Amino acid sequence: MQNRFIDGINQLPKPLATALVPLLSDDFGGHINAIQLSNLMTTSQLNEQDLLMALLPIAAALASPSLSQFYVGAIVKGSSGDIYMGANLELPGEALFHTVHAEQSAISHAWLCGETHIMDIVVNFSPCGHCRQFINELVDGSKINIHLPGQATAPLSHYLPYAFGPADLNVTRPLLSKSHIEFALESNDPVIIEALDQVGLSYAPYTHCHAAVVLETHDGATFCGRYAENAAFNPSMQPMQMALSNLIRHNRDYSEIKRAVLVESSKGMISLVGAAMDALHTVAAVELEHIVVEPTDI
Ligand code: THU
Ligand code: ZN
């Protein structure tokens, strides 16, 4: 089991701890599939909501709060029945807007794994305004149930009344909607091919700056992040932040990063290259490879 989970495991009821430990292998990054979840419910004798609440210390252990030492954990449930953990990530020595919130980490985790609908989010602290706005970008966002310790479950519409969202900017296919745009690039470099595929799955309805980052570690593993825009612009999640939070969730260290690639669309109104470089260089002395690609279907 990974050392970062020891304190969390000690907070769990014994039967749950015993059933969970075998799942917490070296590469555990917070994804528990529907079958594993149902086994955990059986062994722990907890209903789903109580089980997810009990698992929050495990999600919070995925955090890297190098500035605040404040551990936030979130768990989302996707329509596949799988659950995805996320935690906050603070980048040392850089402006605070580079921070990834636990809710963003968990939601992006589910999105990267192909989920197209999220119904529930469980968090150990009340979601901040920025996260409420981020959640409101999702398919049926206002209906997503927020579960907090000691609070009655309520949908996002309770936490974010009079919401501003994608519909105000005439966006009808919000974040998590299935869509894939084709981009053309001749390459047989597997890292670039992976990034190209992820660009097509990114969400950029406001600037059309479809973009993705792939980080490769010394052992050849890859961790990607896609761009996820927000109707209120500032709460958008940058692909570099999504990729770094993916890497840290998976128990990797920044020192393992060997290569970083940003691929973005030539048709975007903006470029994410400056933002991506700033974030990358806070944690790794690796040059960012920047590749601009043409969409094939417009
Ligand atoms: N934080 C979250 O992860 N989610 C919230 O909604 C509240 C705040 C994190 C961000 C930062 O890493 C730390 O908590 C202090 O604000
Ligand atoms: Zn937040």
Side-chain angles (χ1 to χ4, degrees):
M1 188 183 71
Q2 301 169 29
N3 285 343
R4 59 182 175 167
F5 296 126
I6 292 172
D7 285 350
I9 282 288
N10 289 334
Q11 294 173 46
L12 303 188
K14 195 105 201 123
L16 175 58
T18 311
L20 192 62
V21 166
L23 302 184
L24 306 180
S25 57
D26 276 355
D27 58 352
F28 178 79
H31 181 183
I32 294 181
N33 70 34
I35 296 165
Q36 293 168 326
L37 186 68
S38 121
N39 290 340
L40 289 176
M41 281 168 64
T42 312
T43 7
S44 66
Q45 299 279 298
L46 293 172
N47 65 34
E48 188 176 290
Q49 173 151 350
D50 291 344
L51 173 61
L52 296 188
M53 219 35 104
L55 288 174
L56 282 174
I58 303 299
L62 302 170
S64 176
S66 49
L67 303 168
S68 67
Q69 302 306 319
F70 186 69
Y71 286 74
V72 187
I75 305 176
V76 306
K77 181 152 192 232
S79 50
S80 70
D82 290 9
I83 62 163
Y84 304 86
M85 296 180 180
N88 55 329
L89 172 72
E90 299 170 358
L91 296 188
E94 263 293 331
L96 296 182
F97 61 70
H98 289 288
T99 305
V100 176
H101 287 216
E103 298 86 331
Q104 292 181 298
S105 167
I107 291 165
S108 59
H109 187 179
W111 186 41
L112 291 173
C113 289
E115 294 290 348
T116 53
H117 202 191
I118 286 172
M119 295 93 71
D120 297 278
I121 304 188
V122 190
V123 204
N124 60 351
F125 292 98
S126 186
C128 74
H130 161 111
C131 285
R132 296 175 194 200
Q133 191 66 48
F134 188 79
I135 298 166
N136 196 48
E137 193 71 25
L138 304 182
V139 170
D140 287 335
S142 65
K143 298 189 189 134
I144 294 175
N145 285 314
I146 309 219
H147 307 268
L148 287 165
Q151 295 282 332
T153 294
L156 179 69
S157 55
H158 168 82
Y159 287 92
L160 192 69
Y162 312 107
F164 175 78
D168 291 306
L169 293 176
N170 301 318
V171 166
T172 52
R173 295 178 48 71
L175 183 55
L176 297 181
S177 303
K178 251 199 162 74
S179 84
H180 193 227
I181 302 173
E182 294 289 333
F183 289 90
L185 181 69
E186 285 301 314
S187 173
N188 44 27
D189 180 327
V191 173
I192 293 175
I193 293 169
E194 181 179 349
L196 192 68
D197 206 39
Q198 294 296 330
V199 174
L201 295 165
S202 67
Y203 175 77
Y206 309 109
T207 66
H208 308 293
C209 184
H210 287 275
V213 163
V214 173
L215 302 172
E216 188 184 14
T217 48
H218 290 291
D219 63 352
T222 54
F223 301 90
C224 69
R226 303 175 193 148
Y227 185 32
E229 283 194 332
N230 188 280
F233 286 20
N234 300 64
S236 300
M237 190 171 181
Q238 300 296 316
M240 182 60 76
Q241 272 76 349
M242 199 180 290
L244 290 171
S245 106
N246 190 357
L247 177 125
I248 294 294
R249 262 200 322 270
H250 283 93
N251 195 27
R252 298 308 190 105
D253 194 88
Y254 300 128
S255 61
E256 294 180 65
I257 301 173
K258 175 177 85 177
R259 200 176 161 201
V261 177
L262 167 70
V263 175
E264 62 183 351
S265 169
S266 61
K267 296 287 189 281
M269 299 171 191
I270 58 168
S271 168
L272 306 181
V273 68
M277 268 188 210
D278 283 352
L280 175 68
H281 292 153
T282 62
V283 295
V286 171
E287 209 170 313
L288 180 67
E289 296 169 47
H290 180 215
I291 298 166
V292 176
V293 290
E294 287 280 325
T296 55
D297 46 1
I298 44 174

